[in-house]
Amino acid sequence: MAKATKRPRADVTDAAPSEPGEAAPKRSHGAQPPPLLPQQQGEAANAPVRDRREVMADVARRRAAHFANYAADEDEGAGELQGKQARTLGPWSSARQLVEARSAAVAARQEKILDASRVSPGKAAVSWTPRRDPKLGSRPICRVRPLFELCADVLVEYIEDVESLLGLPDSIKNRLSAAVCQQRKLSNEVVHLFSEGGPAEFVLTNCAALEPDAMATVVKDVATPRLERLELTFCGRGLTESTAAALAAAGPLDRLQVLALRGAYRLTDAALCSILCNASNLQVLRLPQNSLLTEGSIKQLPSLVPLLRELDLSECRGVSGAALQSILTGAMPCLESVMLTGIPEVSNALLAEMALGLPLRHISVARCSGVSDEGLRGLAAACPHLLTLRADACTKITDAGIVALAESCKELQIYKCTCSFDASSGGHNSGSFTLRLPFLLNCEHLLER
């Protein structure tokens, strides 16, 4: 049975002009058909009306030969149009050719990746040699700052234009307040952003710029029953007796566990006692650099805060040795951390008695000139579970005291002694720090020396 072949239909409407003397329009895609010869154009123009159809049919046949690209020897539907042939047929064939070419490229790329992954176990895939000299060590890490820090920088820069921080968690507020204090942008107006709403934790790392009136207002805002942590650093200018009275008049602070008032040089014994009367569940009390505190308030600590676990009296030079002995020899059974930095009344006898009466885990006797090897021996014998000992600038400590400490305190993790000593010179300052590591081999958990 003979197979009918399909002849491409020429676009007569595009080929034939609409008027007898009008030139044929050009196609918008593909190559242009060959132009008519002048003689042919004349014949088409001068042809009689009865022969014009035949002339235009002849023109259409010649132009159709340019557009017709049909391979009669191939099976219908099995051939593919490639290259320029597909493009001359129109945008559909061109788009189809591009899609097929893209699919073929993706398949070839995937096959190449699979071939590269098929590597024998004993053969390296790539032979690589580093350009950087290994002797120079690892490359410096280029740290990218977290998004929170970048946003905090913007807030700190324009903190005076912020209207409110209500809704932010207390932890984020504390970080923002620390950044504001570091940039010295904490003022009487800005501080209310952190105290409004009655936060559970209120921390200011630098209150030196706050006036007494602003400090009193802040204390009234934060002294609520939900307050758990109150830390004010360098608050001597604003924390007066009236401010302390406002804090005491706020009512019971049963949930308050941490109270830190650093540098409150106007805080008196009476003001401190009035504050502690409302915080019977206090566990951490830090009062460093409070020069007006004496034995009048220190001796009342066991009755005011019986659950105290941490006490910091660093640089409180008004506290006598008798007051320390009255509270640190068993009157406060829960006390585990004692910081007595810079108190000259601390002696070897006090250190030994304190170790016998309390379950101490962290002790600081830095810049206590009365502490020597004898005090370390008594401390080591009474506190075998000691974790931290800070003895900076204690020039009377020699190798013998460190040996006794290392033999008894097997759980010691941090030992700081930034002074310089030399056993051969009688323990006097020799101008350089010397530490004999064999003495510390028994301290398996030692992290810092």
Side-chain angles (χ1 to χ4, degrees), residues 53-117:
R53 293 179 179 273
E54 297 178 0
V55 173
M56 298 312 301
D58 187 32
V59 172
R61 291 190 191 96
R62 287 196 297 271
R63 291 189 175 183
H66 171 74
F67 292 102
N69 294 279
Y70 182 74
D73 56 342
E74 296 182 1
D75 191 9
E76 182 179 1
E80 293 185 358
L81 301 178
Q82 300 177 356
K84 296 182 179 180
Q85 295 180 358
R87 295 184 182 275
T88 55
L89 290 180
W92 170 257
S93 298
S94 300
R96 184 175 179 180
Q97 183 185 17
L98 293 176
V99 171
E100 293 177 353
R102 186 181 297 113
S103 301
V106 171
R109 185 163 56 250
Q110 294 294 336
E111 186 66 23
K112 185 177 181 181
I113 293 175
L114 292 176
D115 293 342
S117 63

Short mmCIF file of all heavy atoms in Angstrom, two decimals, residues 53-117:
data_model
loop_
_atom_site.label_atom_id
_atom_site.label_comp_id
_atom_site.label_asym_id
_atom_site.label_seq_id
_atom_site.Cartn_x
_atom_site.Cartn_y
_atom_site.Cartn_z
N ARG A 53 -3.54 35.24 -10.94
CA ARG A 53 -3.57 34.13 -10.00
C ARG A 53 -2.48 33.11 -10.33
O ARG A 53 -1.83 32.58 -9.43
CB ARG A 53 -4.94 33.45 -10.06
CG ARG A 53 -6.08 34.32 -9.54
CD ARG A 53 -7.41 33.57 -9.66
NE ARG A 53 -8.51 34.36 -9.15
CZ ARG A 53 -8.90 34.39 -7.87
NH1 ARG A 53 -8.26 33.64 -7.00
NH2 ARG A 53 -9.91 35.16 -7.50
N GLU A 54 -2.26 32.86 -11.59
CA GLU A 54 -1.22 31.91 -11.97
C GLU A 54 0.18 32.45 -11.64
O GLU A 54 1.04 31.72 -11.18
CB GLU A 54 -1.32 31.61 -13.47
CG GLU A 54 -2.63 30.95 -13.86
CD GLU A 54 -2.72 30.72 -15.36
OE1 GLU A 54 -1.74 31.08 -16.06
OE2 GLU A 54 -3.75 30.18 -15.82
N VAL A 55 0.37 33.79 -11.89
CA VAL A 55 1.68 34.38 -11.57
C VAL A 55 1.97 34.29 -10.08
O VAL A 55 3.05 33.93 -9.64
CB VAL A 55 1.74 35.83 -12.06
CG1 VAL A 55 3.02 36.51 -11.59
CG2 VAL A 55 1.65 35.87 -13.58
N MET A 56 0.97 34.62 -9.25
CA MET A 56 1.18 34.60 -7.81
C MET A 56 1.33 33.17 -7.30
O MET A 56 2.06 32.91 -6.33
CB MET A 56 0.01 35.29 -7.10
CG MET A 56 -0.14 36.76 -7.48
SD MET A 56 1.40 37.71 -7.39
CE MET A 56 1.84 37.48 -5.70
N ALA A 57 0.67 32.24 -7.93
CA ALA A 57 0.87 30.83 -7.54
C ALA A 57 2.29 30.39 -7.84
O ALA A 57 2.91 29.64 -7.08
CB ALA A 57 -0.15 29.96 -8.27
N ASP A 58 2.83 30.85 -8.99
CA ASP A 58 4.22 30.53 -9.31
C ASP A 58 5.17 31.13 -8.29
O ASP A 58 6.14 30.51 -7.86
CB ASP A 58 4.53 31.02 -10.72
CG ASP A 58 5.90 30.57 -11.18
OD1 ASP A 58 6.31 29.45 -10.75
OD2 ASP A 58 6.56 31.31 -11.93
N VAL A 59 4.90 32.40 -7.89
CA VAL A 59 5.74 33.04 -6.85
C VAL A 59 5.66 32.25 -5.54
O VAL A 59 6.66 32.02 -4.86
CB VAL A 59 5.29 34.50 -6.65
CG1 VAL A 59 5.99 35.12 -5.47
CG2 VAL A 59 5.56 35.30 -7.91
N ALA A 60 4.45 31.81 -5.21
CA ALA A 60 4.29 31.05 -3.97
C ALA A 60 5.03 29.73 -4.01
O ALA A 60 5.61 29.28 -3.02
CB ALA A 60 2.80 30.82 -3.71
N ARG A 61 5.05 29.09 -5.16
CA ARG A 61 5.78 27.82 -5.27
C ARG A 61 7.27 28.03 -5.07
O ARG A 61 7.95 27.23 -4.43
CB ARG A 61 5.50 27.20 -6.64
CG ARG A 61 4.08 26.71 -6.83
CD ARG A 61 3.96 25.91 -8.10
NE ARG A 61 2.57 25.66 -8.42
CZ ARG A 61 1.85 26.39 -9.26
NH1 ARG A 61 2.43 27.41 -9.89
NH2 ARG A 61 0.58 26.09 -9.47
N ARG A 62 7.82 29.10 -5.69
CA ARG A 62 9.26 29.35 -5.52
C ARG A 62 9.62 29.67 -4.07
O ARG A 62 10.66 29.26 -3.57
CB ARG A 62 9.68 30.49 -6.46
CG ARG A 62 9.72 30.10 -7.93
CD ARG A 62 10.49 31.12 -8.75
NE ARG A 62 9.86 32.42 -8.73
CZ ARG A 62 8.93 32.83 -9.60
NH1 ARG A 62 8.52 32.00 -10.55
NH2 ARG A 62 8.42 34.03 -9.51
N ARG A 63 8.75 30.43 -3.41
CA ARG A 63 9.03 30.74 -2.00
C ARG A 63 8.80 29.53 -1.10
O ARG A 63 9.47 29.37 -0.08
CB ARG A 63 8.13 31.89 -1.56
CG ARG A 63 8.51 33.21 -2.22
CD ARG A 63 7.75 34.36 -1.60
NE ARG A 63 8.20 35.62 -2.15
CZ ARG A 63 7.76 36.81 -1.74
NH1 ARG A 63 6.83 36.88 -0.80
NH2 ARG A 63 8.22 37.92 -2.28
N ALA A 64 7.84 28.71 -1.41
CA ALA A 64 7.59 27.53 -0.59
C ALA A 64 8.76 26.58 -0.60
O ALA A 64 9.01 25.85 0.36
CB ALA A 64 6.33 26.83 -1.09
N ALA A 65 9.54 26.57 -1.66
CA ALA A 65 10.73 25.70 -1.70
C ALA A 65 11.75 26.09 -0.64
O ALA A 65 12.56 25.28 -0.19
CB ALA A 65 11.34 25.77 -3.09
N HIS A 66 11.73 27.37 -0.27
CA HIS A 66 12.66 27.83 0.76
C HIS A 66 12.22 27.37 2.16
O HIS A 66 13.05 27.01 3.00
CB HIS A 66 12.77 29.36 0.73
CG HIS A 66 13.53 29.92 1.90
ND1 HIS A 66 14.90 29.81 2.00
CD2 HIS A 66 13.09 30.58 2.99
CE1 HIS A 66 15.28 30.40 3.11
NE2 HIS A 66 14.20 30.88 3.75
N PHE A 67 10.90 27.35 2.41
CA PHE A 67 10.41 27.02 3.75
C PHE A 67 10.20 25.52 3.94
O PHE A 67 10.17 25.05 5.07
CB PHE A 67 9.07 27.73 4.01
CG PHE A 67 9.22 29.22 4.13
CD1 PHE A 67 8.87 30.05 3.07
CD2 PHE A 67 9.72 29.78 5.29
CE1 PHE A 67 9.00 31.41 3.18
CE2 PHE A 67 9.85 31.14 5.40
CZ PHE A 67 9.50 31.97 4.34
N ALA A 68 10.04 24.80 2.88
CA ALA A 68 9.76 23.37 3.02
C ALA A 68 11.06 22.62 3.25
O ALA A 68 11.98 22.68 2.44
CB ALA A 68 9.06 22.85 1.77
N ASN A 69 11.17 21.88 4.38
CA ASN A 69 12.33 21.06 4.70
C ASN A 69 11.81 19.71 5.17
O ASN A 69 11.70 19.43 6.35
CB ASN A 69 13.18 21.72 5.80
CG ASN A 69 13.83 23.01 5.35
OD1 ASN A 69 14.85 23.01 4.70
ND2 ASN A 69 13.18 24.13 5.69
N TYR A 70 11.47 18.89 4.23
CA TYR A 70 10.87 17.60 4.56
C TYR A 70 11.70 16.51 3.91
O TYR A 70 11.98 16.55 2.70
CB TYR A 70 9.43 17.54 4.05
CG TYR A 70 8.72 16.26 4.38
CD1 TYR A 70 8.29 16.00 5.67
CD2 TYR A 70 8.49 15.32 3.38
CE1 TYR A 70 7.64 14.83 5.96
CE2 TYR A 70 7.83 14.15 3.68
CZ TYR A 70 7.40 13.91 4.96
OH TYR A 70 6.75 12.74 5.25
N ALA A 71 12.13 15.55 4.75
CA ALA A 71 12.92 14.43 4.26
C ALA A 71 11.98 13.29 3.92
O ALA A 71 11.40 12.67 4.81
CB ALA A 71 13.95 14.00 5.30
N ALA A 72 11.80 13.01 2.64
CA ALA A 72 10.84 11.98 2.24
C ALA A 72 11.33 10.59 2.50
O ALA A 72 10.54 9.64 2.55
CB ALA A 72 10.51 12.16 0.75
N ASP A 73 12.69 10.39 2.67
CA ASP A 73 13.22 9.05 2.83
C ASP A 73 13.14 8.57 4.27
O ASP A 73 13.41 7.40 4.54
CB ASP A 73 14.67 8.98 2.34
CG ASP A 73 15.52 10.02 3.07
OD1 ASP A 73 14.93 10.97 3.65
OD2 ASP A 73 16.76 9.88 3.04
N GLU A 74 12.78 9.42 5.23
CA GLU A 74 12.70 9.00 6.61
C GLU A 74 11.26 8.70 6.96
O GLU A 74 10.32 9.25 6.39
CB GLU A 74 13.25 10.10 7.53
CG GLU A 74 14.73 10.38 7.31
CD GLU A 74 15.22 11.44 8.28
OE1 GLU A 74 14.41 11.92 9.09
OE2 GLU A 74 16.41 11.77 8.21
N ASP A 75 11.10 7.84 7.96
CA ASP A 75 9.76 7.46 8.41
C ASP A 75 9.10 8.66 9.09
O ASP A 75 9.74 9.42 9.80
CB ASP A 75 9.85 6.28 9.37
CG ASP A 75 8.49 5.69 9.63
OD1 ASP A 75 7.55 6.10 8.95
OD2 ASP A 75 8.40 4.83 10.54
N GLU A 76 7.82 8.82 8.90
CA GLU A 76 7.11 9.98 9.42
C GLU A 76 7.07 9.91 10.95
O GLU A 76 6.72 8.90 11.54
CB GLU A 76 5.68 10.00 8.89
CG GLU A 76 4.90 11.21 9.35
CD GLU A 76 3.49 11.21 8.79
OE1 GLU A 76 3.16 10.24 8.07
OE2 GLU A 76 2.75 12.15 9.08
N GLY A 77 7.48 10.97 11.59
CA GLY A 77 7.47 11.04 13.05
C GLY A 77 8.73 10.52 13.69
O GLY A 77 8.92 10.67 14.89
N ALA A 78 9.63 9.87 12.94
CA ALA A 78 10.84 9.32 13.52
C ALA A 78 12.02 10.25 13.41
O ALA A 78 13.00 10.12 14.12
CB ALA A 78 11.18 7.99 12.87
N GLY A 79 11.98 11.19 12.47
CA GLY A 79 13.12 12.09 12.27
C GLY A 79 13.14 13.20 13.29
O GLY A 79 12.15 13.52 13.92
N GLU A 80 14.30 13.79 13.46
CA GLU A 80 14.49 14.90 14.38
C GLU A 80 15.00 16.10 13.61
O GLU A 80 15.85 15.97 12.73
CB GLU A 80 15.49 14.53 15.48
CG GLU A 80 14.99 13.45 16.41
CD GLU A 80 15.98 13.21 17.54
OE1 GLU A 80 17.03 13.87 17.52
OE2 GLU A 80 15.69 12.37 18.39
N LEU A 81 14.49 17.22 13.95
CA LEU A 81 14.95 18.46 13.34
C LEU A 81 16.06 19.03 14.20
O LEU A 81 15.88 19.22 15.40
CB LEU A 81 13.77 19.44 13.24
CG LEU A 81 12.59 18.93 12.42
CD1 LEU A 81 11.48 19.96 12.43
CD2 LEU A 81 13.03 18.62 11.01
N GLN A 82 17.16 19.27 13.59
CA GLN A 82 18.34 19.71 14.34
C GLN A 82 18.87 21.01 13.75
O GLN A 82 18.66 21.32 12.58
CB GLN A 82 19.44 18.64 14.30
CG GLN A 82 19.00 17.31 14.91
CD GLN A 82 20.09 16.27 14.81
OE1 GLN A 82 21.14 16.52 14.21
NE2 GLN A 82 19.84 15.10 15.36
N GLY A 83 19.64 21.69 14.62
CA GLY A 83 20.39 22.86 14.18
C GLY A 83 19.52 23.94 13.60
O GLY A 83 18.49 24.30 14.14
N LYS A 84 19.91 24.40 12.42
CA LYS A 84 19.20 25.50 11.78
C LYS A 84 17.85 25.08 11.26
O LYS A 84 16.95 25.90 11.11
CB LYS A 84 20.04 26.04 10.64
CG LYS A 84 21.35 26.66 11.09
CD LYS A 84 22.11 27.21 9.91
CE LYS A 84 23.42 27.86 10.34
NZ LYS A 84 24.18 28.40 9.20
N GLN A 85 17.68 23.78 10.94
CA GLN A 85 16.41 23.33 10.43
C GLN A 85 15.30 23.54 11.46
O GLN A 85 14.20 23.97 11.13
CB GLN A 85 16.48 21.85 10.05
CG GLN A 85 17.43 21.59 8.89
CD GLN A 85 17.47 20.11 8.55
OE1 GLN A 85 16.84 19.31 9.21
NE2 GLN A 85 18.21 19.77 7.50
N ALA A 86 15.59 23.23 12.76
CA ALA A 86 14.57 23.42 13.79
C ALA A 86 14.27 24.88 14.00
O ALA A 86 13.13 25.27 14.24
CB ALA A 86 15.03 22.78 15.10
N ARG A 87 15.29 25.71 13.91
CA ARG A 87 15.07 27.13 14.16
C ARG A 87 14.27 27.79 13.03
O ARG A 87 13.56 28.76 13.26
CB ARG A 87 16.41 27.84 14.34
CG ARG A 87 17.16 27.36 15.57
CD ARG A 87 18.43 28.15 15.78
NE ARG A 87 19.16 27.66 16.92
CZ ARG A 87 18.92 28.04 18.18
NH1 ARG A 87 17.97 28.91 18.42
NH2 ARG A 87 19.61 27.55 19.17
N THR A 88 14.41 27.28 11.79
CA THR A 88 13.68 27.90 10.69
C THR A 88 12.20 27.57 10.72
O THR A 88 11.42 28.22 10.04
CB THR A 88 14.28 27.44 9.36
OG1 THR A 88 14.28 26.01 9.31
CG2 THR A 88 15.69 27.98 9.18
N LEU A 89 11.81 26.55 11.51
CA LEU A 89 10.41 26.17 11.55
C LEU A 89 9.60 27.02 12.52
O LEU A 89 8.38 26.93 12.52
CB LEU A 89 10.26 24.70 11.92
CG LEU A 89 10.73 23.72 10.85
CD1 LEU A 89 10.53 22.30 11.32
CD2 LEU A 89 9.97 23.96 9.54
N GLY A 90 10.25 27.76 13.41
CA GLY A 90 9.49 28.61 14.32
C GLY A 90 9.97 28.50 15.75
O GLY A 90 10.86 27.70 16.08
N PRO A 91 9.40 29.30 16.64
CA PRO A 91 9.86 29.33 18.04
C PRO A 91 9.56 28.04 18.80
O PRO A 91 10.26 27.70 19.74
CB PRO A 91 9.07 30.50 18.63
CG PRO A 91 7.90 30.69 17.73
CD PRO A 91 8.36 30.29 16.37
N TRP A 92 8.51 27.32 18.46
CA TRP A 92 8.19 26.08 19.17
C TRP A 92 9.29 25.04 19.01
O TRP A 92 9.73 24.43 19.98
CB TRP A 92 6.87 25.53 18.66
CG TRP A 92 6.57 24.14 19.18
CD1 TRP A 92 6.69 22.98 18.50
CD2 TRP A 92 6.16 23.80 20.49
NE1 TRP A 92 6.36 21.92 19.29
CE2 TRP A 92 6.03 22.40 20.54
CE3 TRP A 92 5.89 24.54 21.63
CZ2 TRP A 92 5.63 21.73 21.69
CZ3 TRP A 92 5.49 23.87 22.78
CH2 TRP A 92 5.36 22.48 22.80
N SER A 93 9.76 24.87 17.76
CA SER A 93 10.83 23.90 17.54
C SER A 93 12.12 24.34 18.21
O SER A 93 12.89 23.53 18.75
CB SER A 93 11.05 23.71 16.04
OG SER A 93 9.88 23.20 15.43
N SER A 94 12.40 25.64 18.19
CA SER A 94 13.62 26.14 18.85
C SER A 94 13.57 25.90 20.34
O SER A 94 14.55 25.46 20.97
CB SER A 94 13.78 27.64 18.56
OG SER A 94 13.88 27.87 17.17
N ALA A 95 12.41 26.17 20.99
CA ALA A 95 12.28 25.95 22.42
C ALA A 95 12.41 24.48 22.77
O ALA A 95 13.06 24.11 23.76
CB ALA A 95 10.93 26.49 22.91
N ARG A 96 11.83 23.63 21.92
CA ARG A 96 11.93 22.20 22.20
C ARG A 96 13.37 21.72 22.08
O ARG A 96 13.84 20.89 22.86
CB ARG A 96 11.03 21.45 21.22
CG ARG A 96 10.99 19.96 21.47
CD ARG A 96 10.00 19.28 20.57
NE ARG A 96 9.97 17.85 20.79
CZ ARG A 96 9.20 17.00 20.14
NH1 ARG A 96 8.37 17.47 19.20
NH2 ARG A 96 9.22 15.72 20.41
N GLN A 97 14.09 22.23 21.09
CA GLN A 97 15.48 21.84 20.92
C GLN A 97 16.31 22.28 22.13
O GLN A 97 17.17 21.54 22.62
CB GLN A 97 16.05 22.45 19.65
CG GLN A 97 17.49 22.03 19.36
CD GLN A 97 18.06 22.76 18.16
OE1 GLN A 97 17.50 23.77 17.76
NE2 GLN A 97 19.14 22.25 17.61
N LEU A 98 16.06 23.48 22.66
CA LEU A 98 16.81 23.96 23.83
C LEU A 98 16.51 23.11 25.06
O LEU A 98 17.41 22.80 25.85
CB LEU A 98 16.46 25.42 24.10
CG LEU A 98 16.94 26.43 23.04
CD1 LEU A 98 16.43 27.82 23.40
CD2 LEU A 98 18.46 26.44 22.95
N VAL A 99 15.25 22.74 25.26
CA VAL A 99 14.89 21.90 26.41
C VAL A 99 15.57 20.55 26.32
O VAL A 99 16.11 20.03 27.31
CB VAL A 99 13.36 21.76 26.48
CG1 VAL A 99 12.97 20.71 27.53
CG2 VAL A 99 12.73 23.09 26.83
N GLU A 100 15.56 19.95 25.13
CA GLU A 100 16.21 18.64 24.97
C GLU A 100 17.71 18.74 25.19
O GLU A 100 18.32 17.86 25.80
CB GLU A 100 15.89 18.08 23.59
CG GLU A 100 14.42 17.74 23.39
CD GLU A 100 14.14 17.26 21.98
OE1 GLU A 100 15.07 17.34 21.15
OE2 GLU A 100 13.00 16.81 21.71
N ALA A 101 18.33 19.82 24.71
CA ALA A 101 19.76 19.98 24.91
C ALA A 101 20.10 20.18 26.38
O ALA A 101 21.10 19.65 26.89
CB ALA A 101 20.27 21.18 24.09
N ARG A 102 19.23 20.92 27.10
CA ARG A 102 19.49 21.13 28.52
C ARG A 102 19.35 19.82 29.29
O ARG A 102 20.15 19.53 30.19
CB ARG A 102 18.52 22.18 29.07
CG ARG A 102 18.82 22.58 30.51
CD ARG A 102 17.82 23.59 31.03
NE ARG A 102 17.87 24.83 30.29
CZ ARG A 102 16.90 25.28 29.52
NH1 ARG A 102 15.78 24.58 29.41
NH2 ARG A 102 17.02 26.43 28.88
N SER A 103 18.36 19.04 28.98
CA SER A 103 18.17 17.75 29.65
C SER A 103 19.35 16.82 29.39
O SER A 103 19.82 16.12 30.29
CB SER A 103 16.87 17.10 29.18
OG SER A 103 15.76 17.94 29.45
N ALA A 104 19.85 16.84 28.17
CA ALA A 104 21.01 16.00 27.85
C ALA A 104 22.25 16.46 28.62
O ALA A 104 23.04 15.63 29.10
CB ALA A 104 21.27 16.03 26.35
N ALA A 105 22.43 17.77 28.80
CA ALA A 105 23.58 18.27 29.55
C ALA A 105 23.49 17.89 31.02
O ALA A 105 24.50 17.51 31.64
CB ALA A 105 23.68 19.80 29.40
N VAL A 106 22.28 17.95 31.61
CA VAL A 106 22.11 17.56 33.01
C VAL A 106 22.41 16.08 33.19
O VAL A 106 23.08 15.66 34.15
CB VAL A 106 20.69 17.90 33.49
CG1 VAL A 106 20.43 17.31 34.86
CG2 VAL A 106 20.48 19.40 33.52
N ALA A 107 21.92 15.26 32.29
CA ALA A 107 22.18 13.82 32.38
C ALA A 107 23.67 13.52 32.26
O ALA A 107 24.21 12.68 32.99
CB ALA A 107 21.39 13.09 31.29
N ALA A 108 24.37 14.23 31.34
CA ALA A 108 25.80 14.01 31.20
C ALA A 108 26.56 14.45 32.45
O ALA A 108 27.54 13.79 32.87
CB ALA A 108 26.31 14.78 29.98
N ARG A 109 26.13 15.55 33.06
CA ARG A 109 26.81 16.01 34.27
C ARG A 109 26.62 15.02 35.43
O ARG A 109 27.55 14.73 36.19
CB ARG A 109 26.28 17.39 34.65
CG ARG A 109 26.99 18.02 35.83
CD ARG A 109 26.74 19.52 35.90
NE ARG A 109 25.33 19.84 35.94
CZ ARG A 109 24.67 20.42 34.94
NH1 ARG A 109 25.30 20.71 33.80
NH2 ARG A 109 23.38 20.69 35.06
N GLN A 110 25.39 14.49 35.58
CA GLN A 110 25.15 13.51 36.63
C GLN A 110 25.97 12.25 36.41
O GLN A 110 26.52 11.67 37.36
CB GLN A 110 23.65 13.17 36.68
CG GLN A 110 22.76 14.32 37.11
CD GLN A 110 23.01 14.74 38.55
OE1 GLN A 110 23.49 13.95 39.36
NE2 GLN A 110 22.68 15.99 38.85
N GLU A 111 26.09 11.84 35.18
CA GLU A 111 26.90 10.66 34.88
C GLU A 111 28.37 10.90 35.19
O GLU A 111 29.08 10.02 35.70
CB GLU A 111 26.72 10.30 33.40
CG GLU A 111 27.41 9.00 33.00
CD GLU A 111 26.80 7.79 33.68
OE1 GLU A 111 25.62 7.87 34.09
OE2 GLU A 111 27.51 6.77 33.81
N LYS A 112 28.84 12.12 34.95
CA LYS A 112 30.23 12.45 35.26
C LYS A 112 30.48 12.43 36.76
O LYS A 112 31.52 11.96 37.23
CB LYS A 112 30.56 13.82 34.69
CG LYS A 112 32.02 14.22 34.84
CD LYS A 112 32.28 15.56 34.18
CE LYS A 112 33.75 15.95 34.32
NZ LYS A 112 34.01 17.28 33.68
N ILE A 113 29.50 12.91 37.54
CA ILE A 113 29.65 12.90 39.00
C ILE A 113 29.68 11.47 39.52
O ILE A 113 30.47 11.12 40.41
CB ILE A 113 28.50 13.71 39.64
CG1 ILE A 113 28.64 15.19 39.27
CG2 ILE A 113 28.50 13.54 41.15
CD1 ILE A 113 27.49 16.04 39.76
N LEU A 114 28.81 10.61 38.97
CA LEU A 114 28.81 9.21 39.39
C LEU A 114 30.11 8.52 39.04
O LEU A 114 30.64 7.72 39.82
CB LEU A 114 27.62 8.48 38.75
CG LEU A 114 26.23 8.92 39.22
CD1 LEU A 114 25.15 8.18 38.44
CD2 LEU A 114 26.07 8.64 40.72
N ASP A 115 30.65 8.82 37.87
CA ASP A 115 31.93 8.21 37.49
C ASP A 115 33.05 8.67 38.41
O ASP A 115 33.96 7.90 38.75
CB ASP A 115 32.27 8.58 36.04
CG ASP A 115 31.30 7.94 35.06
OD1 ASP A 115 30.62 6.96 35.45
OD2 ASP A 115 31.20 8.42 33.91
N ALA A 116 33.01 9.94 38.83
CA ALA A 116 34.05 10.44 39.73
C ALA A 116 33.96 9.83 41.12
O ALA A 116 34.96 9.71 41.82
CB ALA A 116 33.96 11.97 39.82
N SER A 117 32.73 9.46 41.54
CA SER A 117 32.57 8.87 42.86
C SER A 117 32.98 7.41 42.92
O SER A 117 33.19 6.87 44.00
CB SER A 117 31.10 9.00 43.31
OG SER A 117 30.26 8.28 42.43
#
